[in-house]
Amino acid sequence: MKTYILTFNNASNHGALLQCYALYKIVSTLCIETKVVNLQFNKEKILRKFKISRSGFKEQIFNFRNINKYFDFFKARKRMVKFHNSMLSLTKPVHNMKELKSIASDASIYIVGSDQVWNPCFSYPEKFNEQFLLEWVPEHAKRYSYAASMGHDY
């Protein structure tokens, strides 16, 4: 029985990575084969989150008040990517819904969560959050949600 997990597995956030790893480890003890769907979000969106754009990168990097923050972010990100790639069994990279639908028939169980996977503010790129609704999953497959939420910061 093959199981796919969909979550923020590639986020630049220790909490998101650790919850992904914990869910993966638990499910992999219960199922024969477990994989995390390797969702590849738009890097431009990630950079924008930290108020860096490709055109304004030099200006931000030379703002010496922030330089340590950016170096720390990139060092931490490098360690997270190494952990992500070595500790999780991943599918081939998925960049859009077409690629996601192409692997849809591979598994018999799909789990979405945990974290704020249904939060409309976390749309990478626009309208890509539909992957977490599991409407694209084949009829015969089982669909589960584990601690998924649509929280919103006020």
Side-chain angles (χ1 to χ4, degrees), residues 20-83:
C20 176
Y21 176 70
L23 180 59
Y24 166 76
K25 287 302 280 184
I26 293 297
V27 173
S28 63
T29 62
L30 303 172
C31 298
I32 293 172
E33 185 179 355
T34 304
K35 289 191 174 216
V36 175
V37 177
N38 192 8
L39 298 171
Q40 298 292 314
F41 296 127
N42 186 336
K43 291 180 183 174
E44 196 69 35
K45 291 273 185 182
I46 293 170
L47 291 174
R48 222 176 288 141
K49 180 180 178 187
F50 288 90
K51 295 183 175 62
I52 306 172
S53 67
R54 289 185 182 172
S55 62
F57 185 74
K58 281 185 182 177
E59 291 82 13
Q60 289 291 334
I61 222 50
F62 290 111
N63 182 347
F64 287 108
R65 293 182 310 216
N66 295 327
I67 197 163
N68 286 336
K69 180 172 96 173
Y70 296 119
F71 284 131
D72 289 346
F73 166 75
F74 289 115
K75 284 192 315 192
R77 178 71 185 144
K78 188 175 180 180
R79 287 191 303 268
M80 284 189 279
V81 168
K82 184 178 177 183
F83 179 87

